[in-house]
Amino acid sequence: MRYAIVATTGWLLLVDLQTKKVQALENGRPEYYGISWFDGDNDLVLSHTGLDSATLTDINAYALSERGWVSKGGLRSRNFLSAPHQIFCAPDNRIVCANTGRNVISVFDYGRPNVYQEAGISSERWDRLSLENLTGDHLNSVFLRDDRLYVIAHGFSKGSKLAVFSYPGLEIISVEAVVGKTGLHNIWIKSNGQRISCHSEGGSLIDLHDKYPLWESGSEGYTRGLAATDEYVLVGESQKSGRDLRRSSLSGLWILDAKTWKPLDYLSLGPYGVVMEVRVLDAPDDAHHGKPFKGLAALLAKDALMEISHSRLSGSRAVAENARLWATYEPVFGAPAISNDGFKCAAVDQLSLAIKNENSPTQIKFEYSLDNDPKAHISAVLGYQGNGGDSTVSAVLLRPVDAKAVLSVWRNDGQTWSLLPIPNVFTHLPLSGTMTVAVTEKQATVQFSDGTSMVLSNEQLCLDRCNHGLGIRWAGGSVRPVESVSP
């Protein structure tokens, strides 16, 4: 055993246990939690929340939380998971997911991507209704041995439980309370039947049959993430911090003797955020499915920090190379990434705005590609008077709904946004295409590359005149001007 992989909220890390080198593999698909892989496959399978879990405080947040997915290399499932936790790649080529926010175990098959199997241990449909009303079981860990699926229910302050399901049927065989313990993570069923879990709040490992710890950290750490070989046991440790500091808190990795449970070493990983999962890559991991990862060589060649450096340099060079393309636009706010072909891309949480730097423009025309994310939107703006902020403007806005773009018109009066009535409702526009807004003083003609068009008066847009303050406002997509620029 030499290499381990660690998931934190914001990063995927490769750890060399001999040299103690921590290699950042990626950070672009947070939040990370579960790690697994299929026997003989070169691709990691990961679970992602697609949101900041610190925002999951009430039923309203959970109702919008089904943005999580599982990835397999470059593949990704649909966004059907709510705050997913641990995953396990089963021998039948399916992925068992702790669909924690939805209070169930969900099973996904890339061969049948629209069919999900699920089961829970109670009738509650959400993990919590508020910070005080913790109604769910908080199912967080899954482990498969033979035809039995073992599931840990964290239990909040109600006490943890170990549930056993048949597999693949997902019929409940038993649900057993872990007396005197709550907040457990991970479940490892050894070949001799011993059942081991992380007592996270106690900073320890426990045998579910015994009230005494097998091992205690002796520090104020939070244990989560468990991997094991014949000789060693790895335990993830996180600095105890508030939910809002999870992405930057200190993380570490304990190495224990598998026979005596005595600590052999401790690796401080750095401020990568709280540890969610630990797996051994190059040896049979008995706390996983025991199959080493075949794609290790490709991981060793990855270096996220170096890739970030190359990306920053490439982006800066792309700005210079595409200066003429964007010469008639003044960036107001946002720092979108620019590609070599001149598209500026803004993530859903990185709102950007660029205004055409002409006193009385006659039109704007731009190519767009809208992310299929419920928070994504791209709009042409008119009458901008925001003075550097995001206010006093009208917006002809596109957002994704069911793999199509829906158009709406909005007005910001300097204080709040309001939806404006428009004569036609367009609900089947393309997620990628070209948008043109031709203006006179009295009206704006909006046209799309699929032939759809509409005319809006300055009264409908709540503007004194339409031919000023034109620009592009976007988050969760890419845009590129296409109008000609004179040399």
Side-chain angles (χ1 to χ4, degrees), residues 107-150:
V107 183
F108 173 76
D109 185 349
Y110 271 105
R112 303 178 68 198
N114 295 316
V115 178
Y116 314 114
Q117 184 184 10
E118 69 174 32
I121 64 172
S122 70
S123 61
E124 295 295 335
R125 290 300 294 154
W126 295 102
D127 190 44
R128 68 181 74 190
L129 302 181
S130 70
L131 289 178
E132 296 76 29
N133 195 2
L134 306 174
T135 59
D137 306 294
H138 202 76
L139 307 174
N140 62 34
S141 305
V142 291
F143 180 84
L144 186 63
R145 185 176 288 280
D146 301 323
D147 59 353
R148 293 291 184 267
L149 177 66
Y150 300 86

Coordinates of all heavy atoms in Angstrom, one line a residue, residues 107-150:
V107 N -29.9 3.5 -6.2 CA -29.1 2.7 -7.0 C -29.2 3.2 -8.4 O -30.3 3.2 -9.0 CB -29.4 1.2 -6.9 CG1 -28.4 0.4 -7.7 CG2 -29.4 0.8 -5.4
F108 N -28.0 3.5 -9.1 CA -28.0 4.0 -10.4 C -27.2 3.1 -11.4 O -26.2 2.6 -11.0 CB -27.4 5.4 -10.4 CG -27.1 6.1 -11.7 CD1 -28.2 6.6 -12.4 CD2 -25.9 6.1 -12.3 CE1 -28.0 7.2 -13.7 CE2 -25.7 6.7 -13.5 CZ -26.7 7.2 -14.2
D109 N -27.7 3.1 -12.6 CA -27.0 2.2 -13.6 C -26.8 3.1 -14.9 O -27.8 3.6 -15.4 CB -27.9 1.0 -13.9 CG -27.3 0.1 -14.9 OD1 -26.3 0.4 -15.5 OD2 -27.8 -1.0 -15.1
Y110 N -25.6 3.3 -15.3 CA -25.3 4.1 -16.5 C -25.9 3.5 -17.7 O -26.2 4.1 -18.7 CB -23.8 4.3 -16.7 CG -23.3 5.5 -16.0 CD1 -22.5 5.4 -14.8 CD2 -23.5 6.8 -16.5 CE1 -22.0 6.5 -14.2 CE2 -23.0 7.9 -15.8 CZ -22.3 7.8 -14.7 OH -21.8 8.9 -14.0
G111 N -26.2 2.1 -17.7 CA -26.8 1.5 -18.8 C -28.3 1.8 -18.9 O -28.9 1.6 -20.0
R112 N -28.9 2.2 -17.8 CA -30.3 2.6 -17.8 C -30.5 3.9 -17.0 O -31.0 3.9 -15.8 CB -31.2 1.5 -17.1 CG -31.1 0.1 -17.8 CD -31.9 -0.9 -17.1 NE -33.3 -0.7 -17.2 CZ -34.3 -1.2 -16.4 NH1 -33.9 -2.0 -15.4 NH2 -35.6 -0.9 -16.7
P113 N -30.0 5.0 -17.5 CA -29.8 6.2 -16.8 C -31.1 6.9 -16.3 O -31.0 7.8 -15.4 CB -29.1 7.1 -17.8 CG -29.4 6.6 -19.1 CD -29.6 5.1 -18.9
N114 N -32.2 6.5 -16.7 CA -33.5 7.1 -16.3 C -34.2 6.2 -15.3 O -35.4 6.6 -15.0 CB -34.3 7.5 -17.5 CG -33.7 8.6 -18.3 OD1 -33.1 9.5 -17.8 ND2 -33.7 8.4 -19.6
V115 N -33.6 5.2 -14.9 CA -34.3 4.2 -14.0 C -33.5 4.2 -12.7 O -32.3 3.9 -12.7 CB -34.4 2.8 -14.6 CG1 -35.1 1.9 -13.5 CG2 -35.2 2.8 -15.9
Y116 N -34.1 4.5 -11.5 CA -33.5 4.5 -10.2 C -34.2 3.5 -9.3 O -35.4 3.5 -9.3 CB -33.4 5.9 -9.6 CG -33.0 7.0 -10.5 CD1 -33.9 8.0 -10.9 CD2 -31.7 7.0 -11.1 CE1 -33.5 9.0 -11.8 CE2 -31.3 8.0 -11.9 CZ -32.2 9.0 -12.3 OH -31.8 10.0 -13.2
Q117 N -33.5 2.8 -8.5 CA -34.0 2.0 -7.4 C -33.7 2.7 -6.1 O -32.6 3.2 -5.9 CB -33.4 0.6 -7.5 CG -34.0 -0.4 -6.5 CD -33.3 -1.7 -6.5 OE1 -32.3 -1.8 -7.2 NE2 -33.9 -2.7 -5.8
E118 N -34.7 2.7 -5.2 CA -34.4 3.4 -3.9 C -35.1 2.7 -2.8 O -36.1 2.0 -3.0 CB -34.8 4.9 -3.9 CG -36.3 5.1 -4.0 CD -36.6 6.6 -3.9 OE1 -35.8 7.4 -4.3 OE2 -37.7 6.9 -3.3
A119 N -34.5 2.8 -1.6 CA -35.1 2.3 -0.4 C -34.6 3.0 0.8 O -33.5 3.6 0.8 CB -34.8 0.8 -0.2
G120 N -35.5 3.1 1.8 CA -35.1 3.8 3.1 C -35.5 3.0 4.3 O -36.0 1.9 4.1
I121 N -35.2 3.5 5.5 CA -35.5 2.8 6.7 C -36.7 3.4 7.4 O -37.1 2.9 8.5 CB -34.3 2.6 7.6 CG1 -33.9 4.0 8.1 CG2 -33.2 1.9 6.9 CD1 -32.8 3.9 9.2
S122 N -37.2 4.5 6.9 CA -38.4 5.2 7.5 C -39.2 5.8 6.4 O -38.8 5.9 5.2 CB -38.0 6.2 8.5 OG -37.3 7.3 7.9
S123 N -40.3 6.4 6.7 CA -41.2 7.0 5.7 C -40.8 8.5 5.5 O -41.4 9.1 4.6 CB -42.7 6.9 6.2 OG -42.8 7.6 7.4
E124 N -39.9 9.0 6.3 CA -39.5 10.4 6.1 C -38.9 10.6 4.7 O -38.0 9.9 4.3 CB -38.6 10.9 7.2 CG -39.1 10.9 8.6 CD -40.3 11.9 8.8 OE1 -40.3 12.9 8.0 OE2 -41.1 11.7 9.6
R125 N -39.3 11.7 4.0 CA -38.8 11.9 2.6 C -37.6 12.9 2.6 O -37.0 13.0 1.5 CB -39.9 12.4 1.8 CG -41.0 11.4 1.5 CD -40.4 10.2 0.8 NE -39.9 10.5 -0.6 CZ -39.0 9.8 -1.2 NH1 -38.4 8.8 -0.6 NH2 -38.6 10.2 -2.4
W126 N -37.4 13.7 3.6 CA -36.2 14.6 3.6 C -35.4 14.4 4.8 O -35.9 14.0 5.9 CB -36.7 16.1 3.5 CG -37.5 16.4 2.2 CD1 -38.8 16.5 2.1 CD2 -36.9 16.6 1.0 NE1 -39.1 16.8 0.7 CE2 -37.9 16.9 0.1 CE3 -35.6 16.7 0.5 CZ2 -37.7 17.1 -1.3 CZ3 -35.4 16.9 -0.9 CH2 -36.4 17.2 -1.7
D127 N -34.1 14.8 4.7 CA -33.2 14.6 5.8 C -33.5 15.5 7.0 O -33.4 15.1 8.1 CB -31.8 15.0 5.3 CG -30.7 14.6 6.2 OD1 -30.8 13.5 6.8 OD2 -29.8 15.4 6.4
R128 N -34.0 16.7 6.7 CA -34.4 17.6 7.7 C -35.4 18.6 7.2 O -35.5 18.9 6.0 CB -33.2 18.4 8.3 CG -32.6 19.4 7.4 CD -31.4 20.1 8.0 NE -30.2 19.2 8.0 CZ -29.1 19.4 8.7 NH1 -29.0 20.6 9.4 NH2 -28.1 18.6 8.7
L129 N -36.2 19.2 8.1 CA -37.2 20.2 7.7 C -36.7 21.6 8.2 O -37.1 22.6 7.6 CB -38.6 19.9 8.4 CG -39.2 18.5 8.0 CD1 -40.5 18.4 8.7 CD2 -39.3 18.4 6.5
S130 N -35.8 21.6 9.2 CA -35.2 22.8 9.6 C -34.0 22.4 10.4 O -33.7 21.3 10.7 CB -36.1 23.7 10.4 OG -36.4 23.1 11.7
L131 N -33.2 23.4 10.9 CA -32.0 23.1 11.7 C -32.5 22.5 13.1 O -31.7 21.8 13.7 CB -31.2 24.4 12.0 CG -30.4 24.9 10.8 CD1 -29.7 26.2 11.2 CD2 -29.4 23.9 10.3
E132 N -33.7 22.8 13.5 CA -34.2 22.2 14.7 C -35.0 20.9 14.5 O -35.1 20.1 15.4 CB -35.1 23.2 15.5 CG -34.3 24.5 15.9 CD -34.0 25.5 14.8 OE1 -34.8 25.5 13.8 OE2 -33.0 26.2 14.8
N133 N -35.6 20.8 13.3 CA -36.5 19.7 13.1 C -35.8 18.7 12.2 O -36.0 18.6 11.0 CB -37.8 20.2 12.4 CG -38.9 19.2 12.4 OD1 -38.8 18.1 12.9 ND2 -40.1 19.5 11.8
L134 N -35.0 17.8 12.8 CA -34.2 16.9 12.1 C -35.0 15.5 12.0 O -34.7 14.6 12.8 CB -32.9 16.7 12.9 CG -32.1 18.0 13.1 CD1 -30.9 17.7 14.0 CD2 -31.7 18.6 11.8
T135 N -35.8 15.4 11.0 CA -36.7 14.3 11.0 C -36.1 13.1 10.3 O -36.6 12.0 10.5 CB -38.0 14.7 10.1 OG1 -37.6 15.1 8.8 CG2 -38.7 15.9 10.8
G136 N -35.1 13.3 9.5 CA -34.6 12.1 8.7 C -33.6 11.3 9.5 O -33.4 11.5 10.7
D137 N -33.1 10.3 8.8 CA -32.2 9.3 9.4 C -30.7 9.6 9.1 O -29.8 9.1 9.7 CB -32.5 7.9 8.8 CG -33.9 7.5 9.1 OD1 -34.3 7.4 10.2 OD2 -34.7 7.4 8.1
H138 N -30.5 10.5 8.1 CA -29.2 10.9 7.6 C -28.3 9.7 7.2 O -27.3 9.3 7.8 CB -28.4 11.7 8.7 CG -27.3 12.6 8.1 ND1 -27.6 13.7 7.4 CD2 -26.0 12.4 8.1 CE1 -26.4 14.3 7.0 NE2 -25.4 13.5 7.4
L139 N -28.8 9.0 6.2 CA -28.1 7.8 5.7 C -26.9 8.3 5.0 O -27.0 9.0 4.0 CB -29.1 7.0 4.8 CG -30.4 6.7 5.3 CD1 -31.3 6.0 4.2 CD2 -30.3 5.7 6.5
N140 N -25.7 7.8 5.5 CA -24.5 8.4 4.9 C -23.5 7.4 4.4 O -22.5 7.8 3.7 CB -23.8 9.4 6.0 CG -23.4 8.7 7.2 OD1 -23.0 7.5 7.2 ND2 -23.4 9.4 8.4
S141 N -23.5 6.1 4.8 CA -22.5 5.2 4.4 C -23.1 3.9 3.9 O -24.0 3.4 4.5 CB -21.6 5.0 5.6 OG -21.0 6.2 6.1
V142 N -22.4 3.3 2.9 CA -22.9 2.1 2.3 C -21.7 1.1 2.2 O -20.6 1.5 1.8 CB -23.6 2.3 1.0 CG1 -24.9 3.0 1.2 CG2 -22.7 3.1 0.0
F143 N -22.0 -0.2 2.4 CA -20.9 -1.2 2.2 C -21.6 -2.5 1.8 O -22.6 -2.9 2.4 CB -20.2 -1.4 3.6 CG -19.1 -2.5 3.5 CD1 -17.8 -2.2 3.1 CD2 -19.4 -3.8 3.9 CE1 -16.8 -3.1 3.0 CE2 -18.4 -4.8 3.8 CZ -17.1 -4.4 3.4
L144 N -21.1 -3.1 0.7 CA -21.7 -4.3 0.2 C -20.7 -5.5 0.4 O -19.6 -5.5 0.0 CB -21.9 -4.1 -1.3 CG -22.7 -5.2 -2.1 CD1 -24.1 -5.4 -1.5 CD2 -22.7 -4.9 -3.6
R145 N -21.3 -6.6 1.0 CA -20.5 -7.8 1.1 C -21.5 -9.0 0.8 O -22.5 -9.1 1.4 CB -19.9 -8.0 2.5 CG -19.1 -9.3 2.6 CD -18.4 -9.4 4.0 NE -17.3 -8.4 4.2 CZ -16.1 -8.6 3.7 NH1 -15.8 -9.6 3.0 NH2 -15.2 -7.7 4.0
D146 N -21.1 -9.7 -0.3 CA -21.9 -10.7 -0.8 C -23.3 -10.2 -1.2 O -23.4 -9.3 -2.0 CB -22.0 -11.9 0.2 CG -20.6 -12.5 0.5 OD1 -19.8 -12.5 -0.4 OD2 -20.4 -12.8 1.7
D147 N -24.4 -10.7 -0.6 CA -25.7 -10.2 -1.0 C -26.3 -9.4 0.1 O -27.6 -9.3 0.2 CB -26.6 -11.4 -1.4 CG -26.8 -12.4 -0.2 OD1 -26.1 -12.2 0.8 OD2 -27.6 -13.3 -0.3
R148 N -25.5 -8.7 0.9 CA -26.0 -7.9 1.9 C -25.5 -6.5 1.8 O -24.2 -6.3 1.6 CB -25.6 -8.4 3.3 CG -26.3 -9.7 3.7 CD -27.8 -9.6 3.9 NE -28.4 -10.8 4.3 CZ -29.0 -11.7 3.5 NH1 -28.9 -11.5 2.2 NH2 -29.6 -12.8 4.0
L149 N -26.4 -5.5 1.8 CA -26.0 -4.1 1.8 C -26.1 -3.5 3.2 O -27.2 -3.5 3.7 CB -26.9 -3.3 0.8 CG -26.6 -1.8 0.7 CD1 -25.2 -1.5 0.2 CD2 -27.7 -1.1 -0.1
Y150 N -25.0 -3.0 3.7 CA -25.0 -2.4 5.1 C -25.0 -0.9 5.0 O -24.2 -0.3 4.2 CB -23.7 -2.9 5.8 CG -23.7 -4.4 6.0 CD1 -23.1 -5.2 5.0 CD2 -24.2 -5.0 7.1 CE1 -23.1 -6.6 5.1 CE2 -24.1 -6.4 7.3 CZ -23.6 -7.2 6.3 OH -23.5 -8.6 6.4

